[in-house]
């Protein structure tokens, strides 16, 4: 019976994550039953290319049919170099002045937050401005008949056909240094990341995120954390960009994405971290509970997650104990890395967590892995001070001035001198003089081996 399955997929390696497309009740004791939407991990191939040995989220192992599951695919971001962000009508006309017919750019709509404007040079050397509506996770030119999943798809369509515009889009006006991106909702479906809302049971709230509330939940009998998007018309793209980055990140010290729910409500579902964030964990337990072994474990776990991001050329930008979560088994995992940016990233007009941010990032608005290293030094200080707020007794407005004049925090009580030396190394004013995360990780591994 097993030979009836047709082989139509690549060979999957150990550790490959697959998602069930259909329910499989199993036909023998050696089979691993699963429901549609279950996430399974390949253990090894078998002599029959249509069957694999796999395990489920509970660790149970068994045989699964390849044609009942699909490999999860990374969801890629697509660049939009013609997007100019906050540009006024007058500025857009000035930028496009003298350019050929069909030249265009896309910008934020200054009167309708969440919408966009397509500014286009039409015959007569006139710039026409078309409002682009964003509703129900779709975009469309105001007055047009067609809807698109993303701005990129809208632009690509009108590059082929004017279709109601005064002229076809022919020459994008690129913004220098633009790293604005978009993500296609359908890519989550094609990649096997969409969760059926029927299998998701949302329970009590456990916190607040950048886009909305965070809830404890249950998905296929597994505890999960559920982030809900409040205003999907304005923030859906940003919310799903976080999810798209998470689809490519697989590391035991990064909080893992389980899937997304797309529909009237949009939810981002991640693994549940039962002991909450690290800073509250440190403060609530204190010296009477948290051991030197716990501290070096938290430091090493966090550094391992950051070394992985560093190897991927990704910058976290907001590394702090509040953004590290603690699993029930005591493992620390970096969270909120989904909005990490590729090296190097400039945060236009952004607000910084001053006490954790490297001086050059504050002054120049440029974030790199070396600015993350500075933040990791502050996080180490948090761990070894049991969650104290950095730079105690120094007013927030004075922190940057003190740091630039050479001030560095003193070693926390009881902190091993080797750990404090790492902190001081991460706080070098010259970014290139700071160590790599991988170098710090090697040092922490050595220290952990001798910590009891």
């Amino acid at each position: 019976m097993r030979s009836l399955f047709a082989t139509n997929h690549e060979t999957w390696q150990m550790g490959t994550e697959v998602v069930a497309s259909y329910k499989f009740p199993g036909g023998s004791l050696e089979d691993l039953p699963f429901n549609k939407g279950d996430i399974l991990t390949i253990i090894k191939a078998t002599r029959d290319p249509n069957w694999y040995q796999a395990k489920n989220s509970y660790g149970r192992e068994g045989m699964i049919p390849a044609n009942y599951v699909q490999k999860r695919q990374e969801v890629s971001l697509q660049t939009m170099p013609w997007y100019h962000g906050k540009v006024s009508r007058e500025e857009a006309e000035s930028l496009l002045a003298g350019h050929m017919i069909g030249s265009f750019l896309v910008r934020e709509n200054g009167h309708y937050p969440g919408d966009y404007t397509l500014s286009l040079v039409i015959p007569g050397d006139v710039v026409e401005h078309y409002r682009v509506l964003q509703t129900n996770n779709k975009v469309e030119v105001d007055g047009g008949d067609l809807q698109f999943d993303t701005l990129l798809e809208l632009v690509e369509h009108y590059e082929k056909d004017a279709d109601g515009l005064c002229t076809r889009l022919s020459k994008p006006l690129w913004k220098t240094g633009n790293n604005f991106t978009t993500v296609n909702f359908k890519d989550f479906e094609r990649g096997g990341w969409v969760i059926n809302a029927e299998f998701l049971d949302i329970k009590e709230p456990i916190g607040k995120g950048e886009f909305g509330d965070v809830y404890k939940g249950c998905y296929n009998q597994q505890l999960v954390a559920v982030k809900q998007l409040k205003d999907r018309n304005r923030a859906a793209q940003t919310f799903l960009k976080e999810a798209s980055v998470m689809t490519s990140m697989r590391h035991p010290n990064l909080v893992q994405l389980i899937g997304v729910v797309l529909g009237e409500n949009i939810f981002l579902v991640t693994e549940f971290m039962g002991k909450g964030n690290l800073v509250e964990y440190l403060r609530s337990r204190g010296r009477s509970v948290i051991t030197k072994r716990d501290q070096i474990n938290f430091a090493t776990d966090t550094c391992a997650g950051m070394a992985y991001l560093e190897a991927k050329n990704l910058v976290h930008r907001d590394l702090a104990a509040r953004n590290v979560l603690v699993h029930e088994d005591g493992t620390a995992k970096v969270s909120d890395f989904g909005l990490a940016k590729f090296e190097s990233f400039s945060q236009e007009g952004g607000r910084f967590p001053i006490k954790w941010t490297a001086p050059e990032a504050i002054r120049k608005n440029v974030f790199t892995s070396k600015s993350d290293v500075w933040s990791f030094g502050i996080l180490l200080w948090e761990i070894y001070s049991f969650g104290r707020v950095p730079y105690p007794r120094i007013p927030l407005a004075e922190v940057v001035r003190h740091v630039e004049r050479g001030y560095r925090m003193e070693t926390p009580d009881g902190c091993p001198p080797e750990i404090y030396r790492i902190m001081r190394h991460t706080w070098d004013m010259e970014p290139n003089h700071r160590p790599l995360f991988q170098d710090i990780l090697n040092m922490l591994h050595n220290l952990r081996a001798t910590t009891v």
Side-chain angles (χ1 to χ4, degrees), residues 328-341:
E328 286 289 354
D329 65 7
T331 303
K333 303 191 181 191
V334 179
S335 70
D336 289 345
F337 63 88
L339 291 179
K341 302 293 181 181

Side-chain angles (χ1 to χ4, degrees), residues 293 296-297 300-301 443-452:
R293 184 72 180 175
I296 192 67
N297 283 342
T300 306
D301 287 350
M443 289 185 274
L444 292 174
H445 276 310
N446 291 334
L447 289 171
R448 181 159 71 173
T450 59
T451 301
V452 294

Side-chain angles (χ1 to χ4, degrees), residues 204-210 212-216 226-228 230 277:
E204 69 271 15
I206 55 176
K208 291 187 178 293
E210 182 179 355
D213 294 332
V214 183
Y215 298 87
K216 184 177 182 179
V226 184
K227 291 183 179 182
Q228 180 180 15
K230 271 189 175 179
N277 73 62

Side-chain angles (χ1 to χ4, degrees), residues 98-144:
H99 285 268
M100 61 181 285
I101 294 171
S103 299
F104 71 94
L105 60 84
V106 179
R107 56 190 175 87
E108 286 186 24
N109 189 299
H111 299 291
Y112 300 94
D115 288 350
Y116 304 98
T117 298
L118 169 63
S119 299
L120 170 66
V121 180
I122 64 174
D125 292 331
V126 176
V127 177
E128 185 74 13
H129 304 275
Y130 297 90
R131 181 181 173 189
V132 178
L133 308 175
Q134 184 173 211
T135 55
N136 297 325
N137 304 323
K138 300 285 186 179
V139 289
E140 61 182 310
V141 173
D142 192 14

Side-chain angles (χ1 to χ4, degrees), residues 80-378:
M80 299 191 296
W82 31 257
Y83 183 77
H84 286 241
K86 293 181 180 179
V87 172
S88 69
R89 181 187 183 98
E90 292 74 19
E91 289 172 321
E93 291 176 352
S94 176
L95 288 169
L96 290 167
H99 285 268
M100 61 181 285
I101 294 171
S103 299
F104 71 94
L105 60 84
V106 179
R107 56 190 175 87
E108 286 186 24
N109 189 299
H111 299 291
Y112 300 94
D115 288 350
Y116 304 98
T117 298
L118 169 63
S119 299
L120 170 66
V121 180
I122 64 174
D125 292 331
V126 176
V127 177
E128 185 74 13
H129 304 275
Y130 297 90
R131 181 181 173 189
V132 178
L133 308 175
Q134 184 173 211
T135 55
N136 297 325
N137 304 323
K138 300 285 186 179
V139 289
E140 61 182 310
V141 173
D142 192 14
D145 298 323
L146 298 174
Q147 290 188 324
F148 306 90
D149 290 320
T150 66
L151 273 175
L152 185 62
E153 290 184 9
L154 181 147
V155 166
E156 287 176 345
H157 172 78
Y158 289 107
E159 283 179 325
K160 298 172 184 174
D161 190 336
D163 208 2
L165 304 183
C166 290
T167 187
R168 180 177 63 83
L169 309 183
S170 61
K171 185 181 179 183
L173 183 64
W174 285 25
K175 180 181 179 181
T176 304
N178 183 15
N179 59 3
F180 195 84
T181 54
T182 186
V183 61
N184 193 331
F185 284 51
K186 291 179 180 177
D187 286 344
F188 286 97
E189 297 177 7
R190 287 189 282 261
W193 292 96
V194 174
I195 286 175
N196 189 330
E198 295 179 7
F199 300 124
L200 182 63
D201 180 20
I202 299 176
K203 301 181 183 296
E204 69 271 15
I206 55 176
K208 291 187 178 293
E210 182 179 355
F211 303 105
D213 294 332
V214 183
Y215 298 87
K216 184 177 182 179
C218 188
Y219 173 65
N220 280 349
Q221 300 181 323
Q222 175 187 359
L223 284 177
V224 294
V226 184
K227 291 183 179 182
Q228 180 180 15
L229 175 62
K230 271 189 175 179
D231 186 349
R232 73 179 194 180
N233 283 340
R234 295 189 62 181
Q237 272 292 316
T238 304
F239 193 66
L240 289 178
K241 283 178 192 176
E242 176 178 0
S244 71
V245 173
M246 293 181 76
T247 63
S248 64
M249 302 290 112
R250 314 303 295 175
H251 190 276
N253 296 116
L254 298 180
V255 175
Q256 297 300 301
L257 176 69
I258 292 174
V260 297
V261 174
L262 301 177
E264 184 175 347
N265 292 305
I266 297 179
F267 300 99
L268 190 155
V269 183
T270 66
E271 63 177 316
F272 181 71
M273 304 293 285
K275 293 186 176 179
N277 73 62
L278 180 57
V279 71
E280 292 300 329
Y281 185 86
L282 292 165
R283 291 172 181 173
S284 62
R285 273 76 172 179
R287 297 176 187 272
S288 62
V289 174
I290 295 173
T291 66
K292 286 281 192 291
R293 184 72 180 175
D294 293 329
Q295 290 173 311
I296 192 67
N297 283 342
F298 293 147
T300 306
D301 287 350
T302 304
C303 190
M306 292 305 301
Y308 176 84
L309 293 183
E310 178 182 69
K312 292 264 190 178
N313 294 320
L314 284 164
V315 182
H316 189 290
R317 296 182 295 140
D318 193 14
L319 181 61
R322 63 182 172 273
N323 287 330
V324 174
L325 301 181
V326 184
H327 193 270
E328 286 289 354
D329 65 7
T331 303
K333 303 191 181 191
V334 179
S335 70
D336 289 345
F337 63 88
L339 291 179
K341 302 293 181 181
F342 289 93
E343 291 257 32
S344 54
F345 171 74
S346 176
Q347 181 172 311
E348 294 184 16
R351 294 189 299 177
F352 310 123
I354 297 295
K355 292 187 175 184
W356 286 263
T357 304
E360 75 278 2
I362 294 173
R363 295 297 189 195
K364 301 177 183 177
N365 270 14
V366 175
F367 290 76
T368 67
S369 284
K370 290 304 181 74
S371 60
D372 277 349
V373 166
W374 177 288
S375 302
F376 179 74
I378 304 296

Side-chain angles (χ1 to χ4, degrees), residues 51-91:
W51 289 81
Y52 283 83
Q53 186 177 353
K55 65 179 179 180
N56 61 21
S57 57
Y58 301 101
R60 181 180 172 185
E61 299 181 5
M63 303 294 294
I64 65 168
N67 283 22
Y68 275 55
V69 299
Q70 69 172 104
K71 178 183 176 182
R72 282 188 148 183
Q73 302 291 335
E74 178 180 331
V75 176
S76 300
L77 295 174
Q78 300 164 308
T79 59
M80 299 191 296
W82 31 257
Y83 183 77
H84 286 241
K86 293 181 180 179
V87 172
S88 69
R89 181 187 183 98
E90 292 74 19
E91 289 172 321

